[in-house]
Amino acid sequence: MAVLSRDVGGGGKRTRQGRRDADGGARAAREEREGAARDPLLVLGPDVMTKILEFADARSVARCTVVSRGWHEIAASDRLWAPKTRIMKEDLCDHVWEFRYKKAAPEYWRNLDPSWKGTSPPMHRYFHPNGSHTADRDDKVWGGHECTYSIMTSYVGEGQIRDHYVRINRWPPMTVSRKEDWRWEMSNHLYCYISVPDAEKEGGTGPLFPAW
């Protein structure tokens, strides 16, 4: 009888545990349904969410890529990112830029670049709202010459960007891209511009921090 009593008692415990498991499963399913009902992607649909994200800044869109697999599929699409890698005049003027020569540049120019020799930090460049482009006073590469910049963008159908670049005077165009830490990079085969934190530039905000 004692053995039977223990068996019956164990069965009761298993029954109660089964009820708790069933209740927990039902609660989890209910929470999942309620969460899905609050998910804008499921409520509005991918087409509407894509339209909404077109108005968001690059940092906000990057954050959306880690919400879920469905959000990642939309937020990581070329349709959203192509316009957000288009640099504007305000972006150029809002940053201080590091300037470096590349290996393909003539040796004479590289010897004037302190970052190549490791004697001092990279040279700085500055873009201004009036279209001018300047450097620090002690910059040996600059030479005090007059310099202007232009931003060129061409499109194909449905607003898709075909070509986008920044040009200094008549020098080769620089392609524009974003680095992983959200700094801007502009470069051609001769030299490279990279945006830097702008604590020393009055009114500048500097590059955004990574979204993840």
Side-chain angles (χ1 to χ4, degrees):
M1 292 297 294
V3 174
L4 179 60
S5 177
R6 283 196 296 272
D7 289 341
V8 172
K13 291 179 181 178
R14 287 193 294 271
T15 301
R16 289 193 296 273
Q17 183 62 43
R19 292 197 190 100
R20 284 196 293 269
D21 291 343
D23 292 342
R27 183 166 56 253
R30 184 171 62 254
E31 291 174 354
E32 184 177 352
R33 288 194 300 271
E34 292 173 353
R38 293 192 297 267
D39 187 342
L41 176 59
L42 297 179
V43 174
L44 301 176
D47 292 338
V48 175
M49 282 306 304
T50 299
K51 286 291 185 182
I52 293 173
L53 291 179
E54 287 177 356
F55 294 96
D57 58 67
R59 188 185 187 192
S60 299
V61 175
R63 283 175 168 166
C64 292
T65 62
V66 298
V67 173
S68 67
R69 185 173 299 177
W71 278 77
H72 183 276
E73 184 176 348
I74 293 176
S77 67
D78 292 339
R79 175 182 173 183
L80 282 176
W81 277 103
K84 298 184 188 305
T85 56
R86 181 165 65 95
I87 199 166
M88 307 297 288
K89 187 175 184 178
E90 293 78 9
D91 298 313
L92 289 175
C93 298
D94 195 38
H95 293 79
V96 172
W97 297 80
E98 286 183 353
F99 176 86
R100 290 185 175 93
Y101 280 115
K102 291 185 174 181
K103 189 174 183 180
E107 184 178 1
Y108 172 76
W109 292 354
R110 297 201 310 269
N111 287 336
L112 294 176
D113 185 342
S115 64
W116 266 93
K117 296 183 294 184
T119 56
S120 63
M123 298 171 283
H124 281 171
R125 295 289 185 266
Y126 309 91
F127 295 86
H128 306 286
N130 64 359
S132 64
H133 179 45
T134 59
D136 294 324
R137 292 184 178 179
D138 58 349
D139 193 312
K140 296 180 179 179
V141 173
W142 190 257
H145 59 279
E146 183 178 350
C147 195
T148 60
Y149 66 90
S150 58
I151 305 173
M152 303 298 295
T153 307
S154 60
Y155 297 88
V156 293
E158 298 184 358
Q160 294 296 309
I161 294 176
R162 180 179 63 184
D163 200 11
H164 177 61
Y165 61 85
V166 174
R167 193 167 195 170
I168 309 297
N169 284 352
R170 293 184 177 274
W171 288 94
M174 296 183 292
T175 58
V176 181
S177 61
R178 287 272 199 180
K179 298 180 73 65
E180 290 183 359
D181 58 2
W182 296 106
R183 290 181 296 169
W184 290 102
E185 180 173 347
M186 305 185 297
S187 65
N188 55 34
H189 66 289
L190 294 175
Y191 50 77
C192 177
Y193 285 70
I194 299 178
S195 63
V196 297
D198 298 346
E200 74 274 27
K201 184 174 183 182
E202 183 178 354
T205 61
L208 295 172
F209 289 104
W212 22 75

